[in-house]
Amino acid sequence: GHAASVASDGKLEAPEISDFMKALESAWDFDGGSQQEDIKKMLVEAKKYVGRRVREQSLGKIEYPPAPEKVDEMWKVVDYNGNNVASLAELDKMVVENYPQYDNKPAIMRAYHACDRNKNGFISKREFTNFLGYLDYFTKLWDKFEGIDDDHDRRIDFDEMKSHAKEIFGRELTDESATILFNSIDRNNQGKVLFYEFAAFFATLDRKDFSIGKLPFE
């Protein structure tokens, strides 16, 4: 095969994209489909890579804390029915339409729970002030989580955590240390770390640098 050529304006030329699809079809059927699982893994990794690079272009660029006039502007977008509270669905709609690079459901869910301090299921305008900051924060954590989740099941097992210890914690871990740490993160003791558990652990560590308070992750 050959790499897709790039036009002078930096765009992949359409015929080359077509060639890529033909090559993919050929590879999919090669040798009775013997490499289909490898192709699936490759495409999952490619999707993760593209998503991460797109988010990197905007992560950290959300103004936090937002200026009062920005809060007013975005609150009118969120609270489009004028009932003075925002639901998860309304927050999700706002993100999809105004911050598509942050359209990441696990991160949106965590940001929503972080803002809903009284756990009534709705976000007030005062609580909404923190939403964009939380969204940026949890999206970065999701990128880290996704990079560790080797089998793409949205859960981290002990082996995945230990093999990625250096990139998560900055150093390798002994089996004993890894076991103690894994059990402390695995809040529901199911033998798998879910994203809310992963996020809760790092939010606790980062509390000194981020006014995150006590988060209702459950």
Side-chain angles (χ1 to χ4, degrees):
H2 60 276
S5 65
V6 179
S8 58
D9 61 359
K11 288 186 178 180
L12 283 173
E13 296 181 346
E16 296 297 335
I17 294 175
S18 175
D19 287 347
F20 169 77
M21 292 306 300
K22 289 177 183 176
L24 180 59
E25 291 172 10
S26 177
W28 184 262
D29 295 328
F30 178 76
D31 193 23
S34 63
Q35 53 188 15
Q36 289 178 4
E37 288 305 312
D38 288 338
I39 291 172
K40 288 180 193 176
K41 291 177 183 177
M42 178 190 72
L43 293 177
V44 167
E45 291 300 323
K47 183 178 179 181
K48 286 166 57 175
Y49 173 80
V50 171
R52 186 179 73 251
R53 292 303 301 268
V54 168
R55 286 193 290 272
E56 283 174 356
Q57 294 171 9
S58 295
L59 284 177
K61 294 180 182 177
I62 283 183
E63 181 186 4
Y64 185 79
E69 57 270 22
K70 185 64 175 179
V71 174
D72 292 340
E73 175 190 339
M74 295 312 300
W75 182 248
K76 289 177 183 177
V77 172
V78 175
D79 184 29
Y80 55 85
N81 61 7
N83 64 352
N84 296 316
V85 292
S87 66
L88 174 60
E90 288 171 324
L91 290 168
D92 183 77
K93 182 175 185 291
M94 184 273 291
V95 173
V96 170
E97 295 178 356
N98 295 272
Y99 297 96
Q101 67 275 21
Y102 285 88
D103 182 14
N104 181 299
K105 305 313 180 189
I108 293 172
M109 177 67 78
R110 298 275 64 81
Y112 157 75
H113 279 303
C115 290
D116 184 20
R117 294 302 181 91
N118 60 10
K119 296 187 179 183
N120 69 352
F122 294 96
I123 304 300
S124 67
K125 183 177 180 180
R126 181 178 179 182
E127 292 171 323
F128 175 71
T129 301
N130 294 320
F131 178 75
L132 295 179
Y134 284 126
L135 181 62
D136 187 73
Y137 175 80
F138 287 116
T139 298
K140 291 173 181 173
L141 281 184
W142 174 256
D143 283 342
K144 184 187 287 283
F145 180 89
E146 194 176 40
I148 298 162
D149 180 23
D150 292 331
D151 60 6
H152 318 301
D153 65 350
R154 295 197 167 196
R155 298 178 295 177
I156 295 174
D157 61 28
F158 176 81
D159 290 336
E160 287 172 329
M161 192 196 79
K162 189 171 185 300
S163 67
H164 290 276
K166 192 163 187 178
E167 62 193 88
I168 308 173
F169 308 110
R171 62 186 177 88
E172 304 292 347
L173 297 174
T174 64
D175 285 345
E176 182 180 6
S177 296
T179 299
I180 293 171
L181 195 53
F182 185 85
N183 290 338
S184 70
I185 301 173
D186 179 21
R187 294 172 132 200
N188 61 10
N189 299 312
Q190 295 296 309
K192 295 273 190 176
V193 171
L194 305 178
F195 179 60
Y196 85 84
E197 296 171 320
F198 186 83
F201 174 79
F202 277 96
T204 300
L205 292 184
D206 294 342
R207 197 167 292 163
K208 64 183 181 300
D209 300 316
F210 193 88
S211 56
I212 209 159
K214 187 180 167 105
L215 301 184
F217 284 100
E218 304 295 348

